[in-house]
Amino acid sequence: MMVQRSFAGKLDPDDVVRSVKTSARLNIDSEIFRQSFDHEPFGFTHNLSSLDLFSYDSLLGLAESFHGSPRDYFIAGSALSPGTQFYSVPNGGMRPREALENLDRVRCRVLLKRPEDHNARFRDLLETLFQQVVDLWGGLGNERVERLESAILISSCSTTTPVHFDPEIGFFSQIEGEKFYHVYPPACSSEAELERFYIRGRVDIGSVDIKGLDPAREHVFTLGPGRGLHQPQNAPHWVQTGRSRSVSYTFVFQTDASYTRGRTRAFNYCLRRFGLSPSRLGEHAGLDAAKASAMRAAAPIQFTGRVYNKARRVLAGRRLSRS
Ligand SMILES: [Fe+2]
């Protein structure tokens, strides 16, 4: 990053914030975005690897700031295979800085959640990049952002993250090292898997049976510094790191429309439990809305993730018209 330094060699905080806002960039083809956003994965390039807030020294300091916030990090070992059950992999036992300092000796994956809550420069980065996506989208239309947050993933070499899906729309950027990212369109997830997930009403990962995924629809992205990918909501994926440690940054978001789809699926889950065969989400818009309303009244979704209020205020309140 082109961090401007004062003559004394100290960082000027205003310059640092300005430099993140002006230089961080995702290079996404607008036509590919228009064709594929939120239903087919696609790759892009970015310049985040050059930002000094991702230097390993900076990350060590950031990791230490997470020690008092155990809900904000997750440390796990490598899965034996991509089809391993996600939470069957041993996890915990170390604090983030300790894990980062021992990546060469202890094979593990460190997830630092919501760095924007720990460091204002990551808040600026998140706002900057999300605005770029909103601009590509042509504004938010009538949708309101309910959740927007980022994460940093730091992993040892040769680790495997088992298959799962996430209930958010994501933009994933590789900062350091190599990653082999296997991702499928969300249409590859079964309705039964999705309904089973959304009835739980939690921010979490969704379970996927890897044997049910169509290999013909798999995208494999070989990511290095400066490369990234868009991951649609509910897109099954599994990931392996290469021969050196890996640092990645991702940001994800959900809108009120995606919450509504989740509630419709939760309602369908209940119908199936009563032995009925519900119409598939998207077949009858009015019925979908009625199901979501009923579900909202019966069991409001309690999301444990913190709503990113500033972005919600700044971005969601705009009601921009979508092109
Ligand atoms: Fe994921």
Side-chain angles (χ1 to χ4, degrees):
M1 172 174 108
M2 288 74 78
V3 175
Q4 298 165 40
R5 292 175 186 275
S6 71
F7 60 87
K10 291 182 180 170
L11 295 175
D12 178 323
D14 290 339
D15 285 345
V16 168
V17 168
R18 226 178 356 257
S19 64
V20 167
K21 287 192 168 175
T22 57
S23 63
R25 185 86 213 153
L26 305 183
N27 304 307
I28 298 174
D29 184 289
S30 58
E31 186 56 24
I32 292 174
F33 184 96
R34 192 185 65 74
Q35 289 174 1
S36 302
F37 175 68
D38 203 26
H39 61 86
E40 195 76 30
F42 61 80
F44 58 82
T45 63
H46 62 81
N47 67 355
L48 308 189
S49 312
S50 62
L51 301 178
D52 78 335
L53 73 175
F54 289 114
S55 76
Y56 214 66
D57 279 347
S58 292
L59 292 175
L60 286 171
L62 179 72
E64 196 161 345
S65 75
F66 277 68
H67 286 184
S69 309
R71 289 168 61 102
D72 283 0
Y73 63 84
F74 179 74
I75 301 174
S78 174
L80 289 175
S81 73
T84 303
Q85 283 285 317
F86 194 91
Y87 287 119
S88 70
V89 180
N91 61 76
M94 277 192 293
R95 296 204 294 178
R97 178 161 184 140
E98 181 188 2
L100 262 57
E101 288 175 333
N102 289 284
L103 279 184
D104 292 343
R105 287 188 286 277
V106 181
R107 269 208 301 160
C108 64
R109 302 174 285 133
V110 179
L111 172 64
L112 301 177
K113 304 176 187 177
R114 298 175 290 279
E116 62 273 10
D117 288 350
H118 295 258
N119 183 313
R121 297 175 67 200
F122 281 101
R123 188 175 309 127
D124 290 317
L125 179 64
L126 176 57
E127 279 181 14
T128 300
L129 300 181
F130 184 59
Q131 184 63 60
Q132 291 172 16
V133 168
V134 170
D135 290 345
L136 277 164
W137 202 3
L140 292 163
N142 290 321
E143 293 187 41
R144 191 177 64 242
V145 176
E146 294 287 352
R147 185 166 160 257
L148 169 65
E149 62 187 53
S150 70
I152 300 170
L153 303 99
I154 306 156
S155 306
S156 308
C157 66
S158 306
T159 56
T160 299
T161 303
V163 69
H164 63 283
F165 70 81
D166 302 313
E168 308 107 352
I169 298 170
F171 287 83
F172 185 98
S173 297
Q174 187 65 5
I175 305 294
E176 180 188 326
E178 203 171 32
K179 224 164 203 182
F180 305 101
Y181 208 109
H182 302 249
V183 56
Y184 301 75
C188 290
S189 296
S190 75
E191 277 303 307
E193 284 170 337
L194 292 169
E195 291 168 6
R196 212 165 32 239
F197 172 79
Y198 283 102
I199 191 65
R200 290 157 56 203
R202 289 170 47 199
V203 172
D204 200 352
I205 61 94
S207 298
V208 176
D209 182 356
I210 199 167
K211 293 192 286 295
L213 297 174
D214 179 359
R217 304 203 64 186
E218 180 184 26
H219 297 248
V220 183
F221 294 91
T222 299
L223 301 178
R227 300 209 165 270
L229 68 97
H230 162 58
Q231 181 169 284
Q233 184 186 25
N234 302 328
H237 56 282
W238 61 274
V239 187
Q240 284 179 318
T241 56
R243 286 181 288 184
S244 61
R245 80 178 174 210
S246 164
V247 178
S248 316
Y249 172 81
T250 186
F251 66 94
V252 300
F253 65 96
Q254 286 177 290
T255 67
D256 54 346
S258 58
Y259 276 21
T260 298
R261 289 192 293 272
R263 291 190 182 101
T264 300
R265 285 191 161 114
F267 193 91
N268 282 349
Y269 175 90
C270 298
L271 292 179
R272 282 189 216 282
R273 295 281 289 183
F274 286 114
L276 302 170
S277 297
S279 61
R280 193 182 171 92
L281 177 73
E283 283 180 357
H284 304 289
L287 188 55
D288 287 349
K291 290 174 179 176
S293 296
M295 206 65 211
R296 181 179 195 136
I301 291 178
Q302 299 296 321
F303 285 97
T304 55
R306 271 173 264 175
V307 175
Y308 190 28
N309 286 320
K310 186 174 179 186
R312 185 177 175 178
R313 216 170 39 244
V314 171
L315 297 167
R318 286 187 171 187
R319 302 286 178 191
L320 301 174
S321 59
R322 191 179 305 162
S323 55

